[in-house]
Amino acid sequence: MFDSRDSRCKSPFGAVRTDEVVTFRVYLPITYQLENPVLLMFKADRWDTPERIPMEFEQSDGVNIAYRCIFYSPDPQLYFYLFEVEGVNGCTRIVRDHEGFGKLSAQGSDMWQLTVYDKNMQTPDFLKKGVMYQIFPDRFCCSGAEKYGVPADRRMHENWYEMPDYLPDQNGKITNSDYFGGDLRGIAEKLPYLKGLGVTTIYLNPIFEAHSNHRYNTADYEKIDPLLGTEADLSALCHKAKQMGMHIILDGVFNHTGSDSVYFNKERRYGNGGAYNDPQSRYRSWYEFINYPAEYQSWWGFQELPNLNEKDPGYSEFICGEHGVLKKWLRAGISGYRLDVADELPDEFLDKISACVKSYDPQAAVIGEVWEDATTKIAYGVRRRYFLGGQLDSVMNYPFKDAILTWVRDGDASRLYGTIQTILEHYPKPVLDVLMNSLSTHDVERAITALAGQPAGQNGREWQGQNNTLSPQRYELGKKLFRLAAVIQYMLPGIPCLYYGDEAGLYGYKDPFNRTCYPWGREDHELLEVFQTLGKIRTDYPQLSTGSFSAVSFTPEAVSFLRDCNGDSFFAAVNRTNYEVNLVIPPEFADARTLFGRLNGKNLLPYDCVILAR
């Protein structure tokens, strides 16, 4: 009766721009004796007063009667909709079933979603090509350059290849105070290597002064951490990167600082001032004290991470003002920010961040850390409006990651197909073009471990440390499966994001096991060649970011799909099993070029894949 992904029922597909006309059709079986259908369009969170749009008779084929109506919205808005019809037993509804199709239900309320975004929305062009590469700065490359002003309480590893510390200290705390010495100059030295992977955007985990190796406990937003280098080193990195066609994005951690910071200064590293020590401090209003000074709001209860009050005018100006933090580093040469815990930043603050960044450079990027479908996200009782206009360009696309890895490991084709279609249907097209598609990040297991290791479940660091090593057989399996997952990742809309070292064979459970050093001189060259080839495909065909997607076959054994990209078409297929699988290959690809992988006639070999182009 209705399928929101079928152009006969809803056109155009997916999210629409403000003032764009959407045509809806329902097909009512004649034998059901249904009539007078009405489209009920609800604004998000206003369920009591839907807009009622009567549908008009269009045609009948003797089996079904088609009814039609149109809808458009002049304002950016998230809508949910269903249909109401009259039957022999009174009024009933056409609601969404668990697979997205329409079904009759007298009491049902499951609805379809329509995202209406600002027609003036634009996302950065530089993100619409190539590959993104995420770097945890302390662990990528050490230039050996002398550092100045490094605090004495940092423990430096003597062996680049050893495991980061993970056991608690004598007080039971994980201090994250061990370092390997990776720096900005080291990243600059490796730009030619990254170029060979097709990298066009480098996303750096935090680089501002902070007293932990992860640096998510900012100590000074206006300084580069001395172990990473200087402001001049950052500018030189940005300049050299742009000369090679690459852009640098920084991690912006604006929801909290470290307690050991110039602003809070609980540990008095920065003298006697700071919000914790001085009630008259200029930073006092930046924090929310419950019982001054000992009790204060902190991130998820971690006292080392006091929450910031983003609505405080002084703090907001410090970050977003004309001479604030955001523009300082944009002037240094960066091309945007990835915002840590974006769902914990108020809408008003996100609006200011975006306005500030875009006023400096409309092409600069603002990417949010959001783990779910970002169009329907509700955080702290508030439905977010990240993609309606004026906030985020993109998000870290964790739904794709979870669905890809789950299918490759367990064969859940329904979840993979449903997740891809849901994101493509819900997200604005400008956002889809720049979606940050990762398989590993600093917050989750590396892909090879997720695919071939024992599931971590709720096991803590001690268990993860004891089980972090893969046998040669499990590693080889993980490698094969990772290759398959990467083909799907690289061939989907958006931009593939490669977590440093994944391409060289790094594996490991969550922090700190996913943050080991890049294995220079010990790379898995077979795996490295895979990512060099996939990167070349992304370089040669940048339109893969923006082209359309259509499924061919999604089964527990194999997945295949088409990409139509401005005159070039691609067919990608992956076999996750240890036996050959027969493919249905569209006839137009009979004489297509093979870009990656291989076919055995019309079969895919075990654990193999293919990318065809025409």
Side-chain angles (χ1 to χ4, degrees):
M1 288 182 287
F2 183 78
D3 176 5
S4 63
R5 296 164 184 169
D6 187 330
S7 61
R8 293 170 296 180
C9 296
K10 175 182 173 290
S11 180
F13 169 78
V16 296
R17 302 181 299 274
T18 48
D19 294 323
E20 184 173 7
V21 174
V22 187
T23 299
F24 291 94
R25 286 186 184 87
V26 292
Y27 294 86
L28 305 183
I30 291 175
T31 57
Y32 284 20
Q33 301 181 53
L34 302 172
E35 59 183 1
N36 299 326
V38 177
L39 169 65
L40 271 59
M41 188 68 73
F42 297 80
K43 289 184 178 180
D45 302 327
R46 291 182 59 182
W47 309 113
D48 54 338
T49 55
E51 184 176 351
R52 299 178 61 88
I53 305 170
M55 306 186 76
E56 299 178 349
F57 169 84
E58 186 175 47
Q59 65 180 18
S60 173
D61 61 3
V63 178
N64 297 299
I65 303 176
Y67 291 85
R68 173 184 178 276
C69 71
I70 63 170
F71 173 83
Y72 65 92
S73 173
D75 302 311
Q77 182 67 248
L78 183 66
Y79 291 93
F80 295 93
Y81 63 93
L82 48 73
F83 303 91
E84 194 173 80
V85 293
E86 295 177 9
V88 293
N89 294 317
C91 188
T92 189
R93 289 177 164 185
I94 302 173
V95 300
R96 185 183 188 278
D97 72 10
H98 69 282
E99 292 183 338
F101 300 114
K103 68 174 182 179
L104 289 176
S105 176
Q107 303 296 327
S109 59
D110 291 332
M111 293 186 261
W112 294 270
Q113 176 181 319
L114 176 66
T115 307
V116 181
Y117 61 94
D118 190 333
K119 61 186 175 184
N120 297 313
M121 176 188 283
Q122 295 182 343
T123 49
D125 290 333
F126 76 86
L127 287 177
K128 300 171 186 174
K129 57 185 177 182
V131 175
M132 184 182 289
Y133 193 85
Q134 179 186 351
I135 293 177
F136 194 80
D138 184 59
R139 312 287 162 81
F140 182 62
C141 181
C142 177
S143 69
E146 188 174 356
K147 307 298 191 306
Y148 300 94
V150 178
D153 56 353
R154 299 186 180 186
R155 187 182 80 78
M156 299 298 298
H157 286 266
E158 295 182 3
N159 181 359
W160 178 260
Y161 301 101
E162 67 186 2
M163 185 62 62
D165 291 351
Y166 69 93
L167 295 175
D169 64 13
Q170 58 186 4
N171 298 317
K173 288 187 175 182
I174 304 293
T175 61
N176 297 298
S177 58
D178 62 315
Y179 296 79
F180 287 84
D183 55 15
L184 297 176
R185 290 190 184 186
I187 297 170
E189 289 176 3
K190 297 300 182 181
L191 289 179
Y193 163 76
L194 298 178
K195 185 76 172 178
L197 291 170
V199 172
T200 49
T201 301
I202 301 170
Y203 154 46
L204 300 180
N205 287 114
I207 65 170
F208 302 146
E209 181 173 298
H211 304 294
S212 70
N213 52 46
H214 56 71
R215 299 187 174 92
Y216 280 95
N217 54 341
T218 311
D220 192 333
Y221 288 108
E222 298 181 289
K223 291 182 180 179
I224 303 296
D225 191 272
L227 202 53
L228 293 178
T230 65
E231 189 170 334
D233 292 332
L234 176 63
S235 294
L237 171 61
C238 293
H239 179 72
K240 185 176 180 181
K242 286 183 179 178
Q243 285 183 320
M244 299 178 68
M246 303 183 207
H247 296 256
I248 307 294
I249 290 177
L250 297 185
D251 220 324
V253 187
F254 303 126
N255 174 74
H256 50 266
T257 65
S259 61
D260 191 2
S261 65
V262 66
Y263 317 107
F264 201 77
N265 200 28
K266 183 177 181 179
E267 288 76 7
R268 294 183 181 265
R269 185 189 296 264
Y270 297 93
N272 295 321
Y276 187 85
N277 303 303
D278 180 7
Q280 304 305 314
S281 168
R282 59 170 291 206
Y283 307 122
R284 169 68 178 79
S285 61
W286 291 17
Y287 299 93
E288 300 178 75
F289 287 93
I290 301 167
N291 182 21
Y292 186 84
E295 293 183 62
Y296 48 87
Q297 298 287 348
S298 59
W299 186 75
W300 288 59
F302 291 101
Q303 294 296 292
E304 300 85 359
L305 300 173
N307 276 347
L308 287 157
N309 178 12
E310 297 91 348
K311 296 181 180 180
D312 179 77
Y315 175 65
S316 178
E317 180 68 15
F318 174 73
I319 298 296
C320 306
E322 183 61 31
H323 302 288
V325 169
L326 294 173
K327 288 191 175 179
K328 172 182 173 65
W329 300 112
L330 288 166
R331 293 186 186 102
I334 71 164
S335 297
Y337 293 89
R338 174 266 191 189
L339 302 179
D340 184 55
V341 293
D343 57 350
E344 301 190 33
L345 301 174
D347 276 322
E348 298 82 356
F349 189 59
L350 282 178
D351 292 340
K352 290 180 180 179
I353 289 176
S354 180
C356 173
V357 170
K358 300 296 185 180
S359 70
Y360 181 84
D361 180 2
Q363 283 291 308
V366 182
I367 301 173
E369 180 195 9
V370 182
W371 289 59
E372 306 86 2
D373 182 334
T375 62
T376 59
K377 173 77 176 184
I378 296 176
Y380 301 95
V382 176
R383 188 179 294 278
R384 307 312 299 265
R385 49 179 173 84
Y386 302 128
F387 293 155
L388 300 184
Q391 280 198 357
L392 300 180
D393 294 311
S394 179
V395 290
M396 302 178 75
N397 193 8
Y398 280 103
F400 273 13
K401 176 197 79 72
D402 294 340
I404 292 170
L405 296 181
T406 299
W407 176 78
V408 172
R409 179 164 181 155
D410 302 323
D412 191 341
S414 177
R415 177 177 178 180
L416 178 58
Y417 175 78
T419 298
I420 293 173
Q421 292 288 14
T422 296
I423 295 299
L424 295 183
E425 183 175 10
H426 289 179
Y427 282 35
K429 181 63 167 62
V431 175
L432 290 173
D433 294 345
V434 296
L435 264 183
M436 183 177 168
N437 299 330
S438 302
L439 293 179
S440 305
T441 73
H442 62 294
D443 281 327
V444 296
E445 298 99 327
R446 284 190 179 266
I448 291 178
T449 293
L451 291 168
Q454 299 180 57
Q458 299 301 313
N459 292 303
R461 278 188 172 88
E462 185 174 354
W463 181 93
Q464 293 179 43
Q466 293 171 352
N467 294 276
N468 194 54
T469 301
L470 292 176
S471 69
Q473 294 78 16
R474 297 305 295 179
Y475 173 73
E476 285 301 316
L477 175 62
K479 226 172 82 171
K480 291 176 183 177
L481 297 178
F482 182 35
R483 175 174 174 263
L484 305 181
V487 167
I488 300 174
Q489 172 198 21
Y490 272 64
M491 292 304 293
L492 287 175
I495 179 171
C497 182
L498 183 58
Y499 185 44
Y500 82 99
D502 268 9
E503 75 279 14
L506 287 186
Y507 60 86
Y509 286 105
K510 298 178 182 179
D511 167 28
F513 311 106
N514 57 4
R515 302 176 183 181
T516 51
C517 294
Y518 185 100
W520 299 110
R522 303 182 182 182
E523 301 93 334
D524 185 317
H525 290 282
E526 187 178 37
L527 196 55
L528 192 56
E529 186 176 341
V530 168
F531 284 92
Q532 289 169 340
T533 303
L534 291 175
K536 186 177 187 305
I537 292 173
R538 275 291 183 156
T539 299
D540 292 345
Y541 302 100
Q543 63 269 35
L544 279 166
S545 172
T546 60
S548 66
F549 168 95
S550 56
V552 175
S553 177
F554 277 64
T555 72
E557 293 78 28
V559 156
S560 59
F561 54 88
L562 298 172
R563 299 294 315 284
D564 189 4
C565 305
N566 298 329
D568 290 308
S569 296
F570 304 86
F571 173 79
V574 170
N575 173 15
R576 60 169 293 276
T577 71
N578 61 358
Y579 49 86
E580 283 195 29
V581 171
N582 181 256
L583 291 179
V584 176
I585 302 175
E588 63 268 26
F589 283 87
D591 299 318
R593 304 184 308 279
T594 301
L595 301 182
F596 186 82
R598 55 181 174 161
L599 284 172
N600 182 24
K602 290 188 176 181
N603 288 356
L604 268 182
L605 294 172
Y607 299 123
D608 212 347
C609 52
V610 70
I611 299 173
L612 305 178
R614 58 177 291 272

